[in-house]
Amino acid sequence: MAEPVIAFDGVWKKFRRGEHHDSLRDLIPSLAKRLTSRKREQPLDADEFWVLRNVSFEVKPGQAMGIIGPNGAGKSTALKVLTRILKPTRGQIRVRGRVGALIELAAGFHPDLTGRENIFLQGAIMGMRRDAIRRRFDEIVDFAGIPDFIDTPVKRYSSGMNARLGFAIAAHLDPEVLLIDEVLAVGDFTFQQKCYARLEEFRREGIPIAFVSHNMQAIASLCDQVMLLRPAQDPIVGDVPDVLAEYVASRSAAADPRLNVIASSLRDGRSGRMVAGPITPGTPLDLDLDLVATGEMPRAGLLIQIVRSDGLIVFTGMSTLDGGREIDLRASDQLNARIAFVANVLRGTYIINIQLVDSMRQWPAAAVNSIQSFVVNETTRIAGCAELSPTYDLAVRSAAAESHATVKIR
Amino acid sequence: MSLTADLKEMLTEQLHYRELLFEMTRRDLLIRYKQTIMGFGWAVFMPLVNTAVFSVIFTRVAPIGTEVPYPLFAYCGLLTWNFTASSLRAAVSSLTSNAGLVTKIYFPREIFPFSAMLVGLVDLAVGSSVLVALMAWYRVPPSKFIVLLPVVVCVHAMFTGAVALFVAMANLFYRDVKYIFEVVITLWMFATSVLYPVRMLGGKLGTVLRLNPMTAIIDAYRDVIFGRHAPDWTSLGAAAALSAVALLWAWIAFHRSEFEFAERI
């Protein structure tokens, strides 16, 4: 097996909460403190916290590691430790080879310089050689799609052009290790497709990638492994579907005080077995719920919502609108419900939210988010979110001969 | 980490990122050239105006004796002092004004104060054309020690580099430094033989002022450019030794605290 190119070994990083004073007035107290408390590194001070806790992972050549987690979980800090901007409080980091970081792509741009001048400046900041930039200059301009504006100062650029130029420069780096921090949210749809295509290319070249993103679809399509960073907890490292499901489940909102969930399960409708691993599109699913109302809920309907991990609401349905009868719940009444549905959805991680809705007022009486989740894994569809089970009927009418052939594909 | 490992890392990094150093210098020069009508004219304008003002004071109001005509004496002092003053002025806020780069992208942070110095060096070169013109105008021949000019420039750059690294780093940790710096740089100019020969001064004050390495450096410039006698080897040698030690110390201190920059900026 190949040597890992990126290796984190028990990395911890401490940050300080609250205001950091920068005036000379603070020099004397801080010096005094340093003298009295010598080299006492392990325990946290009252105003300190661990932003990275015991992070260990490896990325081997040709692998891509996704890094996910809620805001403030330390994703960007992990990348900054990797690029040596920050030094870990404890632990070891090894990175072999030239690091190309797709972080803050336009950070080095100066508004008064032209696109051309900024390409050389930003390229140098990212560690490119001048002759390498000169060699790939036309490609960069072409990729950014701004040949007409290359001699215009960057301050006259639209924010989209700015970001595109930034990515174009980064995309033509020649890195041995690639770090990406949520930079693909730039430009229009076509440009984003171009960016992902370029990343795929990097990956095919065998360049190891560490990729921070909130876009679970992007993580799922690019990465082999995912690390989930959690505040105040050790991170989880594992295969993409497992960790994504864990993440999505962990994001569940605080339990609704009006509703207690006694039990919930998600089963395969054909085998009756609990859904554990990824399923295929079209799998029938049964969601079983045992709920107890803490208060009065008259004339209620049960609503189910399926949300993909990137926030796309795939489906919302309600029992009363689908012909079910209204139910009246009094305090401490138990509701046993089974919702059967077919997962006609494509590749992705999905969460299930449920609500009890007051059907008179169409108003949610109680909600439980992320009560269950499932992962769909399929490889045949190129893109999309719903399984429409198409059939193809193609006919070729030859201009030369009168004969024609009909091809039917199911 | 050991000292030799630090030194090795510092030098290899500078070597690896040398193109970035030139690119940053180019950026600063280009911006000034684009944003101002005078462009490089500013490099000679400020010392010239000061030369005119102080020439009136020190030739008409309170005449002092100098070996060469006073405007030449003053311009040489102001031009070379200006290298230190403008480099340091740019260096002091070079890290804090590039916070975006410091917190986001890794490269050796010495690049910021060093490129501030290279910009100052370009100004020095541009301004020296006026110095040559003044020497021609006053018919002052160059000294036979002119071959030592690169040595003096080297000592000057080492000393300025040491202070530049120190003030850039200090201002990142304590923002008061920028304001203190403005006061200090003004006082420092009058404590250096920029506008009058410190050699003239005797007594305790003279002794104290001669400890200032900038006086040794600026006197050495005058001696090797148009002096009629050999430079003061002792004071130049002392300044050179001090500059080398200071540069080494400041650079190592800077390098060792670099990883804190992104957190403390």
Side-chain angles (χ1 to χ4, degrees), chain B residues 232-250:
Chain B
D232 182 347
W233 300 116
T234 337
S235 57
L236 183 60
L242 178 84
S243 305
V245 172
L247 178 63
L248 200 64
W249 174 80

Side-chain angles (χ1 to χ4, degrees), chain A residues 13 20 22-24 27 80 83-87 104 108 110 112 117 120-121 124-125 129-130, chain B residues 16 19-20 23 27 31 34-35 101 103-106 173-176 180 259 262-264:
Chain A
K13 177 70 193 169
H20 226 90
D22 297 323
S23 71
L24 280 175
L27 179 62
K80 282 184 182 172
T83 52
R84 295 196 292 163
I85 290 171
L86 296 176
K87 192 175 168 183
E104 286 296 303
H110 194 286
D112 283 323
E117 288 157 348
F120 283 99
L121 178 62
I125 286 171
R129 295 244 163 276
R130 202 176 162 79
Chain B
H16 184 256
E19 289 194 342
L20 178 57
E23 210 55 59
R27 174 188 84 166
I31 288 161
K34 285 186 183 203
Q35 286 177 337
L101 286 179
T103 56
K104 303 285 184 187
I105 301 179
Y106 182 83
F173 290 120
Y174 303 103
R175 300 295 160 86
D176 306 67
I180 298 170
F259 67 87
E263 271 175 81
R264 297 288 303 273

